Amino acid sequence: MFPRYRLVGYAGLTGSRSLGRLGIGELSTRMEELEERAKPYAVQREVLPVMEMITTIVQSQPGSDGMYRTRATDATIRRYLTKARVHRALLLLNIQPGRADFLEEVRTYDRWLAEPDVGLALDPEWAMGPGQVPGGAFGQTSGTELDSVARHVAGIVARYDLPEKVIVYHQLTPGIVRSEGKLRDRKGVVLVKSIDGIGNRAQKTSTYVRVNKATPDFVHLGFKIFYEEDRRSGRLMTPGQVLKLTPRPDYVMYE
């Protein structure tokens, strides 16, 4: 995957504008837009488009099992994967687990992870502890929990002789992922830490530097741009400004 490619993606779910750019209008239109937006990032790399589909979706209500999450249907995932292949894109299944465990959620998508062009994006901001309700507090995870997912996915890669799988984990503040040193470099799995700072260029750059301090050497870096939230503080960062970050991100995601 790296250093051949730079990943550039959109996140969201069709019909849900609040969940990200993929939720606005027709999926084909968004993918054509993404392809144009990604072109400036082809600096010393090939660009690989990414569809980061919100697949396990956090909810404000507990649901029948008390887990504060719901799941996209297989039919919806199939539609996204079909569209990803039309655009030669990578599909990442984004997991907002609520009170469920990350590994428990990931296992429900094993049939899709057996496909060569499907990976994961884990969103620990929405990983709630006992007694926590989504929206009332930031969630947390640990390097140990993230590594359990990486180990599981590495097993799928080995079992089906698949290409490397990308696993992204999103992080807004240092405390959202504890003990990152427990992560291990797993054969067949490429880990990417997307640093999701909000604000103007100076604020986002500061967050990028601060949250990166605990990143293990083998973990690649990502950078998120928020269409709505970042604009409240000024203009969106340009691709040229993003590529001036140190270290230069391997994944740039627009939400």
Side-chain angles (χ1 to χ4, degrees), residues 27-119:
L27 192 55
S28 293
T29 302
R30 292 285 73 78
M31 289 306 294
E32 291 166 5
E33 178 185 279
L34 173 60
E35 288 172 336
E36 287 300 311
R37 184 167 293 280
K39 286 179 180 178
Y41 289 101
V43 177
Q44 301 176 340
R45 300 274 186 101
E46 297 177 50
V47 167
L48 181 60
V50 171
M51 299 170 66
E52 192 168 315
M53 174 196 174
I54 315 282
T55 311
T56 291
I57 310 152
V58 74
Q59 303 288 300
S60 60
Q61 299 299 317
S64 59
D65 60 2
M67 292 298 173
Y68 289 87
R69 57 92 177 92
T70 188
R71 296 170 182 153
T73 65
D74 282 344
T76 301
I77 297 171
R78 186 176 299 109
R79 181 164 63 87
Y80 270 73
L81 181 55
T82 298
K83 188 63 64 177
R85 287 174 174 170
V86 168
H87 291 271
R88 298 182 180 180
L90 180 67
L91 178 63
L92 300 182
L93 307 180
N94 182 291
I95 310 295
Q96 302 175 347
R99 289 190 187 172
D101 293 331
F102 269 123
L103 184 56
E104 172 188 330
E105 286 302 302
V106 167
R107 288 182 184 277
T108 68
Y109 302 111
D110 278 359
R111 61 169 294 189
W112 299 106
L113 291 169
E115 299 289 340
D117 45 0
V118 178

Side-chain angles (χ1 to χ4, degrees), residues 82 158 177 195-196 247:
T82 298
V177 180
I195 298 177
D196 295 355

